[in-house]
Amino acid sequence: MKKSYVIALSGISCALALICVVGSIFVEFMNLTFAVLAAIFVSMPLTQKSWVGGILSYISTSIFAFLIGNINALPFILFFGAYAIIQWSIEEKLYPLLKNKIAKYSVGYALKLAYFEAVIAIYWFLFNTLIPSFVLFGKTIKLTYLIIALAGIPIFLLYDLMMHLVFKNFTFLINRVVRKTTRTTTPDDIIYDEQNKKQNVFEEFENENIFESSEIKQDEKSDSLNVDNDKNDNEDKHC
C-alpha cells in the first residue's frame, strides 16, 4: 500500500475515532457505545493490513483525545484503542507463526488476558478510591482487586469475540469501498457496480440515430445504383 494512501486512511480513521472518543467523554448514557465505535474506527487501517497506519491512527487519536478530555480519555488510551491494535497483532501476526491450534489459542488468549489484567491493575491502583464499594440487593459489597480481576474475565472474553466478528465484517466493507475507489475516481463507478450498471438515458436516442443514418446510406446507395443504370441504358440506346 502506498504511503500517501496509508496516511489518508489513517487520517480518516483518526478523525472518526476522535469524534467517538469525545462522544464517550461528554455523552454519559452512550459512553460505552462511543468507546467501542472509537476502537472500531481505529482499526480501519488494519483492515488493509497496515500495522503502521493503525499505530498512527491510535497515537494521533490518543493525543488529541487527551488534550480534549484529559484523564477522561484514559479508557480509550489504555484499553479500547490500544486493544484494537493488540488484538489484530496477535491474530494476524502471531497466529500464523504457530501451527498447532492448541498452542495458538493458548498463547493468544494468555497474552490477551495478561494485557486485560494489567489494565485492571493500573485502574485499581490509580482509581480504586472512586469505586470502593457498591450496593447489591441492599447489601454493601466492598470491591477488591481480586473480585474485579476475576469478574471482568467473562466480560472481556465476550468483548474480544464481539470485536473479532465486528472486525471481520468491517474488513469486508472497507475492502469493497477500497476496490471501487482505487479502480476509478468517478462517482458513478462508486455508486453503480457491475450488477447494477448506470442506465444511459441517451442510449435509445443514439440507437435511433444509428438506425436512421444506416437507412439514409442505403437509400443513397440505391439512388446511385439507379442513376448508373439509367446512364447505361441511355448509352445502349445511342449505340
Side-chain angles (χ1 to χ4, degrees):
M1 185 181 293
K2 296 181 179 179
K3 291 183 179 180
S4 59
Y5 189 80
V6 171
I7 294 173
L9 191 61
S10 301
I12 296 172
S13 172
C14 174
L16 295 174
L18 183 60
I19 292 172
C20 292
V21 174
V22 173
S24 68
I25 294 172
F26 295 104
V27 183
E28 294 183 359
F29 66 94
M30 292 187 66
N31 53 5
L32 184 59
T33 301
F34 277 120
V36 174
L37 287 175
I40 294 172
F41 286 128
V42 161
S43 65
M44 185 181 292
L46 301 178
T47 63
Q48 301 305 302
K49 300 187 181 300
S50 175
W51 186 78
V52 175
I55 293 293
L56 287 175
S57 176
Y58 165 70
I59 293 175
S60 302
T61 305
S62 299
I63 292 172
F64 287 116
F66 187 77
L67 292 175
I68 294 172
N70 203 344
I71 200 173
N72 295 316
L74 286 181
F76 171 82
I77 297 172
L78 292 178
F79 181 70
F80 291 99
Y83 187 71
I85 308 296
I86 291 171
Q87 184 184 37
W88 184 86
S89 300
I90 292 174
E91 295 182 357
E92 297 294 330
K93 297 295 184 180
L94 179 62
Y95 280 0
L97 299 177
L98 302 174
K99 303 302 180 182
N100 188 282
K101 288 186 177 181
I102 297 176
K104 178 191 300 185
Y105 292 110
S106 298
V107 174
Y109 277 102
L111 292 174
K112 292 177 180 179
L113 288 172
Y115 179 77
F116 173 72
E117 295 298 339
V119 173
I120 292 295
I122 292 172
Y123 264 91
W124 175 257
F125 292 110
L126 289 179
F127 309 112
N128 62 337
T129 55
L130 299 177
I131 47 172
S133 61
F134 69 97
V135 179
L136 181 64
F137 300 114
K139 294 182 179 181
T140 301
I141 300 176
K142 188 176 181 179
L143 296 177
T144 63
Y145 172 75
L146 185 60
I147 291 176
I148 296 177
L150 294 178
I153 290 177
I155 300 173
F156 168 73
L157 293 177
L158 288 175
Y159 175 78
D160 175 77
L161 177 61
M162 181 195 73
M163 292 301 292
H164 174 77
L165 297 176
V166 169
F167 181 78
K168 288 182 65 176
N169 289 279
F170 191 53
T171 301
F172 175 76
L173 176 63
I174 296 297
N175 284 338
R176 291 193 62 181
V177 174
V178 168
R179 279 198 298 268
K180 291 181 179 180
T181 53
T182 53
R183 178 172 56 86
T184 180
T185 55
T186 59
D188 288 342
D189 289 333
I190 298 175
I191 298 173
Y192 301 97
D193 54 17
E194 294 180 356
Q195 296 178 353
N196 185 23
K197 294 182 178 179
K198 182 180 179 181
Q199 184 179 3
N200 186 1
V201 295
F202 299 103
E203 185 177 0
E204 295 181 0
F205 179 75
E206 291 174 355
N207 291 334
E208 289 179 359
N209 287 341
I210 294 172
F211 181 73
E212 289 177 358
S213 62
S214 62
E215 285 186 345
I216 292 171
K217 288 181 180 179
Q218 289 178 358
D219 291 339
E220 289 177 351
K221 287 182 179 179
S222 61
D223 291 340
S224 62
L225 289 173
N226 291 331
V227 170
D228 292 338
N229 291 331
D230 292 338
K231 286 182 180 180
N232 292 330
D233 292 339
N234 292 329
E235 289 177 356
D236 292 337
K237 287 179 181 180
H238 288 297
C239 291

